[in-house]
Amino acid sequence: LDLTLPNVIGLADARAVRKRRPEAVHLRPSHMQVVLQPDLHHPWLGRRDVRQALLRAIDRRRLAREVYGRFGRVSHAPIPGTRATGMKRWPYQPKMVAAALQKLGVAKQRLPLIHGSSPTSRAIAVRVAADLRAAGLTVALRRVTDAERRTLFRQQKHGELLVVAIHGLEQRSLYR
């Protein structure tokens, strides 16, 4: 029985059950992926050079370890465990990001970051926000219900940056 399906049991709950009954809980990597969806209609999130700088501002390894523990992995492709030919990776480079954002004219800009209602979604948003703030942006977190998050993800016109955790099965249903 896989209890990592959305809205069944979260990582924090699984860890709590494992403390009481260690033989009953087996934690392992899932096919869940965290996606930051920018609104491409946003004045500066629509710019590829800005999005590339933002990717370099986020310590994805740290995020994966803090939120998902030893099972956290960084994915560079839409399908976990794959690597597309010719795909470019954007390494964590915090020292160059602030200067790049300044040069691009977006330093100190306000960036709303939308996240879902789960503790995991909030933890992801808090970690991403800390990294983006360190790069010189002003980040405002906004919590929405899971239903609102799915709607915003499908519409792709939310004016902000949206944190979405996609389960292997959920990925198709989010686009319907």
Side-chain angles (χ1 to χ4, degrees), residues 104-115:
L104 294 168
V106 298
K108 298 184 179 161
Q109 292 289 322
R110 182 180 182 276
L111 177 63
L113 180 60
I114 307 168
H115 65 89

Side-chain angles (χ1 to χ4, degrees), residues 15-143:
R15 285 179 175 155
V17 172
R18 186 172 67 174
K19 284 181 182 177
R20 292 191 311 270
R21 303 239 354 250
E23 76 287 353
V25 177
H26 303 283
L27 298 177
R28 64 184 182 278
S30 75
H31 292 286
M32 184 79 64
Q33 285 191 298
V34 175
V35 177
L36 295 177
Q37 182 195 58
D39 182 337
L40 299 179
H41 299 91
H42 185 279
W44 48 272
L45 286 177
R47 294 174 44 197
R48 182 177 295 178
D49 53 355
V50 171
R51 293 192 311 273
Q52 290 169 350
L54 294 179
L55 283 174
R56 290 181 170 158
I58 301 167
D59 187 345
R60 289 170 279 178
R61 287 182 199 259
R62 181 176 176 181
L63 184 150
R65 293 291 183 237
E66 284 184 6
V67 176
Y68 296 103
R70 67 184 175 96
F71 297 109
R73 306 276 189 283
V74 175
S75 179
H76 299 281
I79 301 170
T82 64
R83 184 169 183 188
T85 305
M87 183 179 56
K88 186 155 174 123
R89 291 184 180 200
W90 302 100
Y92 175 55
Q93 297 176 314
K95 292 180 181 173
M96 65 78 60
V97 173
L101 292 177
Q102 184 74 35
K103 183 179 176 184
L104 294 168
V106 298
K108 298 184 179 161
Q109 292 289 322
R110 182 180 182 276
L111 177 63
L113 180 60
I114 307 168
H115 65 89
S117 59
S118 75
T120 303
S121 182
R122 170 126 178 106
I124 293 164
V126 166
R127 177 75 257 145
V128 169
D131 286 346
L132 295 177
R133 286 180 185 125
L137 295 173
T138 301
V139 181
L141 295 178
R142 182 164 75 95
R143 179 180 169 261

